Amino acid sequence: MRFFLFALSVSLMHCTIAQMYLRKKQNIGFYTGGTFKDAQFNTLSVGITRSMLRYFEPEIGLRATLPLKAPSNNTELHNVYLSAGLNLRKSLFKINERKVGRSCRGEIIEIFAAPEYHLLVKSQTDRYDVGQFSLRAGLGLFHYQTGNSKRSASWNMKAQFYYRYVPGPITNTMSIKNEFGIQLRIFKFKTYDFVK
């Protein structure tokens, strides 16, 4: 009987100090990225986003085009756009699954497409189009980790490799053209302690 009471008290004590964090739906994200042209850094984009309903990530941010004339001019912004888009994503498969301690870890490959609109807000010349539509599509890679840690439930980071397609004929008045690029997205989720 003593052994039973001891075992029961130890198990109850373990339950009172255990923590298991789960994600809430509330989150905020930050993204940054850029494109390359002629072996030089061509654009820089930054903005905010959020994850909604597992498949949608609306976003709004700024895109700055850098001039490619000379390395000394790379600090001057050529064009600045206000960009908005809707990132539609779908996870494809897991890679590099492994068990570390009591948690499972791995990476997930996803596919995404994002219709975008870019509104020109600042330019050093008036020859460019004021607004442009584009479609960004490609592959994403992000890390997942199961377990009870608050950090693994709170944060999610993903890298996206994409191709931006601008529909219609390419003209000299367009500063955004078909291009390859990369983007880094960091999400912060609210969490709650499932045990409490």
Side-chain angles (χ1 to χ4, degrees):
M1 182 72 173
R2 277 190 205 169
F3 178 77
F4 175 74
L5 290 175
F6 176 75
L8 181 63
S9 65
V10 168
S11 66
L12 288 176
M13 186 173 62
H14 175 70
C15 289
T16 59
I17 61 170
Q19 292 179 324
M20 184 172 177
Y21 291 97
L22 296 177
R23 283 184 182 172
K24 292 184 177 181
K25 292 182 180 179
Q26 295 94 343
N27 66 80
I28 188 72
F30 169 79
Y31 71 86
T32 184
T35 61
F36 291 89
K37 181 179 179 182
D38 300 329
Q40 293 187 41
F41 191 61
N42 183 34
T43 65
L44 174 68
S45 59
V46 294
I48 57 172
T49 183
R50 69 175 295 193
S51 180
M52 300 173 59
L53 304 173
R54 293 186 59 192
Y55 301 106
F56 304 100
E57 294 173 359
E59 60 190 45
I60 188 164
L62 293 174
R63 171 191 165 106
T65 305
L66 302 172
L68 296 177
K69 296 175 185 173
S72 61
N73 292 336
N74 278 347
T75 57
E76 300 175 20
L77 300 179
H78 191 225
N79 295 325
V80 178
Y81 287 89
L82 178 64
S83 300
L86 179 62
N87 198 40
L88 309 168
R89 59 171 291 273
K90 173 71 174 111
S91 297
L92 295 178
F93 53 86
K94 299 175 183 177
I95 60 171
N96 195 23
E97 279 190 296
R98 58 209 178 271
K99 188 166 177 64
V100 178
R102 292 188 295 170
S103 71
C104 293
R105 301 178 187 187
E107 283 70 44
I108 295 179
I109 300 287
E110 69 178 13
I111 189 169
F112 69 91
E116 304 171 306
Y117 186 74
H118 309 278
L119 180 66
L120 184 64
V121 293
K122 181 181 178 184
S123 179
Q124 293 177 340
T125 176
D126 58 357
R127 66 184 285 266
Y128 289 117
D129 293 342
V130 174
Q132 287 185 250
F133 283 104
S134 66
L135 178 65
R136 188 180 77 240
L139 293 175
L141 174 71
F142 66 94
H143 174 77
Y144 74 91
Q145 177 178 341
T146 63
N148 301 335
S149 109
K150 185 173 184 179
R151 189 179 65 117
S152 64
S154 298
W155 294 94
N156 188 5
M157 185 182 336
K158 66 173 72 173
Q160 292 184 336
F161 308 93
Y162 64 85
Y163 178 73
R164 178 174 282 116
Y165 171 72
V166 180
I170 303 297
T171 65
N172 289 335
T173 61
M174 298 166 59
S175 67
I176 299 176
K177 300 181 179 174
N178 298 342
E179 58 194 3
F180 288 96
I182 59 172
Q183 196 173 82
L184 179 68
R185 293 172 169 254
I186 301 171
F187 290 92
K188 172 73 168 79
F189 289 84
K190 284 191 176 179
T191 60
Y192 66 95
D193 191 346
F194 180 73
V195 177
K196 290 183 180 180

